[in-house]
Amino acid sequence: MGLRRTFVAALILAVVVSLCAAPAGAEVQHPRQQWLRDSTAGLFLHWGMFTAPRHLDCAAWERDVTEGGWSPDYWVDEARKLGASYIVLATFHSRLGYARPWPSQIPGSCATKRDFLGELVSAGKAKDVRVILYMTDDPQWHNEQGVETLDSAAYSAYKGRQVDLTTRAGFGMYSYDLFFEVMAKYQDLAGFWIDNDNEYWEQNHLYEQIREKRPSWLLSNNNEDTPIMDTVSNEQKTGMTPAYDYPQAAWTPMPRLVEADYKLPTTGDWWYDGGTHPVDFRLSTGRYVTNAGSSMKSLMAETPMVNGRFPPEQEEFNAFMATWVPPISASLRGTEGGGYLYGGMQPGFWNDGAHGVVTVERGGAKIQYVHVVTRPSTDLVRLRDNGYRVSAVSDLRTGERMRFSQSGGYLTILGITKWDAYDTVFKVETAGRQHFYDRSALRATASSSRDGHPAGALVDGSHETYWDSAAKLPVSVTLDLGRVRRAAYLAVSQREWSPTYARETFGRPEDSARIKDYRVYVSDDGRHWGRPVRTGAMRSARGTQFVDLGERRARYVKLEVLNTWAGPQAPRFFQELQIDEIEVAHDYPVSSGEAVPLEAERQRRSGAARVEPCSACSGGAKVAGLGGGPRNAITYRDVTVAAEGDYRLQIDHTAAAESALSIGVNGAAPIQVRVPGDNADVPLSTALPVPLRAGANTITLSSDAPRGPGIDRLAVAPLPPASYVPKTTMTVEPGGLQWAGPGQQSLKVSANLRLDADDALDQVRLALVAPAGWTVEGDPVTAGTMRLGQTLEGTWTLTSPPGQDVTPADIPVTAAFQVLGRPNTVTRQVRVRPRPADRVFMREAEDSRNQVGSSGITSCTPCSGGQKVRNLGGASDAYVLFEDVVVPQAREYTLFIDFTVNGDRSYFVTVNGGPPVEVKVSGVGNNTPYTTSVPVTLRAGANTIKIYNDTAAAPDLDRISIG
């Protein structure tokens, strides 16, 4: 042991001497990463002493592993079935007993005599599956099972000094030594997977030394973007729509290597807990594909039992993947995500409920793969082509050549009859990207730019540089084309540094820092702009977004961003805007394929109805001349459906100003529909339900307006399920459980409804519904129609019954609306409870009236309001500030603090900006609420109380009260 310790110490000293003092910078791209960039997936194995049935003795666990028949080849073979190129072994894990699956000369926790790690590395090398070792930074779970798993005495004797392994510094020293032992023993290991940083490692330049000693090894960090690391891993993301589209929750832009690490069992722990947990094939295959569509690696966690074998449900999924992946492997291995810096068509939501992603072959994206993960309700798929001229389309699984049409910026794949249950993949061959101006000929300026991120980055051709608005909104960017030229559309590539929707990750609030409302202007001289040529809202979506401009000639194009999707609850993203590139195209690619069904220019026309060119329209044309009544009309005589029933009729139309349409179906009385206006040369869509009979139907379009809209095309699809509700965001203030004092009380309530999807809402009504005996001052607010990004706001005063104290009440605020003629509602509640008699003030930490800085709100079932504030402390902006803490008189009170904590931590408390008081607390488990108290002196009326810790992590905060 002494010789071994001397060797490790000498190795550390030699490496340290060879290093510069400054930490290494980020290496976003490096040759050592190529094997991982070429891969699709990895297998994540949590397996250790506390795998069920848990073992409290290291030797007994090792004996049962060996006698149970553990084999490294089994893990390697199962990984290959998944299409995984690597295995991450998590045995030295805080919740699994800190076991080391290798013979170690360094005492401190369980170490096996059998070299499980070495056997796995050798087995993987023989079959081209690499092995990465998981390392934890965290000692806090050292006695979770009632036994001490970290042996401070043994390690102290080994070091010749007293070291407490249960502290972060002591554990950091111990695990630091283990890194060097592993590097010395296992040259064929592929790297380390780090579960967050330890301060001791950083202070002693561990990562720089790994780079020096093992330059070919990869380093990955969990949920943190540490510059020296090769990979950022995003853990167990949920809440997106659809549920499988994992990248919607990611926050790391390409070309950074990114993993998505998630459990394949849909329930249970990350490790085998003895239960039976199903694998959702739909969810898991969808994640696998959509991650590939964003160049993210799927690190799939399975739960080996003590003997190493997987539960039957997981083996079944692995066997399925072994046959499902190979026919489409060309679209997944060695490709990149499409619609981003590597090129490719637009991923995301497509027509008629379809959703999917695009992968592209490297070197120009001339070969692309359209992955239809959610199939449309019709027999065609229609997606934005991003300027690629298509020459051929085929079904990758079957080789069948597909019919297609391309015009107006869209590729439409026609006549699809064979759908895979999980991913129908079309190989799209192209002649490359066409009709974009060379970015070297463009010049960009902006009304605001952050230092180091100038407007010139918008047109430099690099997605590794970007323009930053310096948190100024509204903000505008102007593109100078050099001379008056045709401008057909903009391709806007926003930086993929935020999720697409409001969420929280381990208590950190996140939101979409993407363009919401915008206006586009054009000018010949850069001074006279006139009215905007486009006004609208961009979807909060990943990938390049497009703004069609119609028939425009100009030298200058100005994009004015009015706001973004992020809300103030996520200060890191609120009012922030970053854009990688903006491109200007002067035309659309057109392929000589078939026509899209129900093009207006191919239908019967009457009166003044006529065909006009429209480059942004499907087929390059539209029908104009409607207006003045039914004499000027378009008649579709062969709108065919298989069965009688109600269908979704979508009308793609153009109009410079709001107008109207009359829609007659099979001779019935016409339906009157209002259509929005924006640009007379750019189609928008309006959808409505219509009754159709089986077989051929006749639909006639006319307009009673003096000047009716132009008509591009119709699209007919089944109505979505009755349960379908377009995605909305509704916020209600005050948020959080409200504690009411004695007697009659009044409460001001406000609500905001925002539509986040393309399908419009009709007949919208937002109202507060008072409980029996309560009264409401203020009327419901209404809107005839809401479209993407639009909001509806209301404010009311709610008063409890007179002559009595408030009783518990959950008071709904309800938005009622119609979607395609069907009624739907969205409801949020204001929860009110009577304050305990021995308290003069009580407020939840998560109450919307508080400021939480960079801390965030997370769920906590046992907490008083079902939530708490997490990630308090460790920085000056991670605090909770309670304003308007009202008490009846000036005197000393007792401040009660309800919290959760695992271990020993402390708060600092200041009152009205006074001197801080430290409050030290302890606890076990971060889901058990505790209460502590501290005396405070308050003035009569309103006070402020700040709870924080600028230098160290603080406990999570549930609520405060004054007694």
Side-chain angles (χ1 to χ4, degrees), residues 62 301 332 426 695 804 850 885 891 923:
E62 180 180 353
L332 298 171
F426 297 104
Q804 64 183 69
N850 301 332
V885 178
R891 64 175 178 85

Side-chain angles (χ1 to χ4, degrees), residues 412-491:
T412 305
I413 304 173
L414 300 164
I416 307 169
T417 58
K418 299 174 183 176
W419 298 96
D420 183 78
Y422 303 113
D423 181 22
T424 305
V425 186
F426 297 104
K427 180 180 180 180
V428 179
E429 301 171 53
T430 80
R433 206 160 178 241
Q434 300 180 348
H435 307 310
F436 283 95
Y437 290 118
D438 188 332
R439 280 174 282 200
S440 65
L442 307 181
R443 190 169 68 90
T445 56
S447 61
S448 174
S449 298
R450 181 164 274 133
D451 289 346
H453 299 284
L458 293 166
V459 293
D460 65 0
S462 171
H463 283 69
E464 294 189 55
T465 61
Y466 59 93
W467 166 74
D468 188 307
S469 70
K472 299 290 178 61
L473 291 174
V475 67
S476 65
V477 295
T478 301
L479 303 178
D480 180 355
L481 308 186
R483 56 183 171 83
V484 174
R485 296 180 171 188
R486 186 176 181 215
Y489 64 94
L490 304 179

Side-chain angles (χ1 to χ4, degrees), residues 884-907:
D884 293 322
V885 178
V886 177
V887 295
Q889 56 186 341
R891 64 175 178 85
E892 183 177 281
Y893 293 86
T894 299
L895 170 65
F896 295 93
I897 303 173
D898 297 345
F899 63 92
T900 69
V901 70
N902 190 38
D904 301 327
R905 295 190 180 186
S906 64
Y907 297 114

Side-chain angles (χ1 to χ4, degrees), residues 750-753 763-768 778-784 786 791-796 813-817:
S750 62
N752 179 293
L753 176 71
Q763 302 178 33
V764 188
R765 183 178 186 271
L766 184 61
L768 187 150
D779 296 326
V781 291
T782 61
M786 287 180 63
T791 60
L792 184 64
E793 299 180 9
T795 301
W796 308 271
V813 180
T814 298
F817 48 82

Side-chain angles (χ1 to χ4, degrees), residues 474-633:
V475 67
S476 65
V477 295
T478 301
L479 303 178
D480 180 355
L481 308 186
R483 56 183 171 83
V484 174
R485 296 180 171 188
R486 186 176 181 215
Y489 64 94
L490 304 179
V492 182
S493 298
Q494 299 173 84
R495 191 160 177 81
E496 304 291 350
W497 71 288
S498 67
T500 64
Y501 62 103
R503 57 172 285 112
E504 60 91 16
T505 295
F506 301 106
R508 297 182 179 91
E510 300 172 349
D511 209 341
S512 177
R514 290 173 174 81
I515 297 170
K516 181 174 169 281
D517 296 310
Y518 68 87
R519 292 192 288 248
V520 180
Y521 300 82
V522 296
S523 171
D524 289 345
D525 58 10
R527 296 188 303 274
H528 302 89
W529 294 98
R531 297 174 59 84
V533 298
R534 287 300 311 275
T535 299
M538 277 189 196
R539 287 185 292 181
S540 179
R542 289 173 60 84
T544 303
Q545 303 298 307
F546 302 92
V547 181
D548 294 299
L549 304 179
E551 304 293 332
R552 300 293 163 187
R553 290 186 61 81
R555 175 173 175 175
Y556 298 92
V557 180
K558 180 166 67 175
L559 172 64
E560 182 184 24
V561 179
L562 303 179
N563 48 50
T564 63
W565 289 91
Q569 86 290 346
R572 181 186 173 207
F573 303 99
F574 182 53
Q575 293 191 318
E576 296 284 350
L577 178 63
Q578 299 174 3
I579 302 178
D580 287 330
E581 294 289 306
I582 300 181
E583 298 175 272
V584 183
H586 55 82
D587 207 348
Y588 301 91
V590 177
S591 295
S592 55
E594 298 188 19
V596 173
L598 304 180
E599 296 277 13
E601 64 269 21
R602 294 173 177 265
Q603 311 306 317
R604 181 177 177 180
R605 303 178 299 278
S606 61
R610 61 192 180 277
V611 176
E612 291 186 352
C614 175
S615 61
C617 294
S618 177
K622 65 180 179 181
V623 171
L626 300 190
R631 67 182 182 277
N632 304 313

Side-chain angles (χ1 to χ4, degrees), residues 36-40 86 257-260 295-299:
L36 185 55
R37 291 188 181 276
D38 291 340
S39 72
T40 304
Y86 64 107
L257 259 175
V258 180
E259 280 178 333
S295 296
M296 291 173 61
K297 311 307 171 185
S298 290
L299 182 55

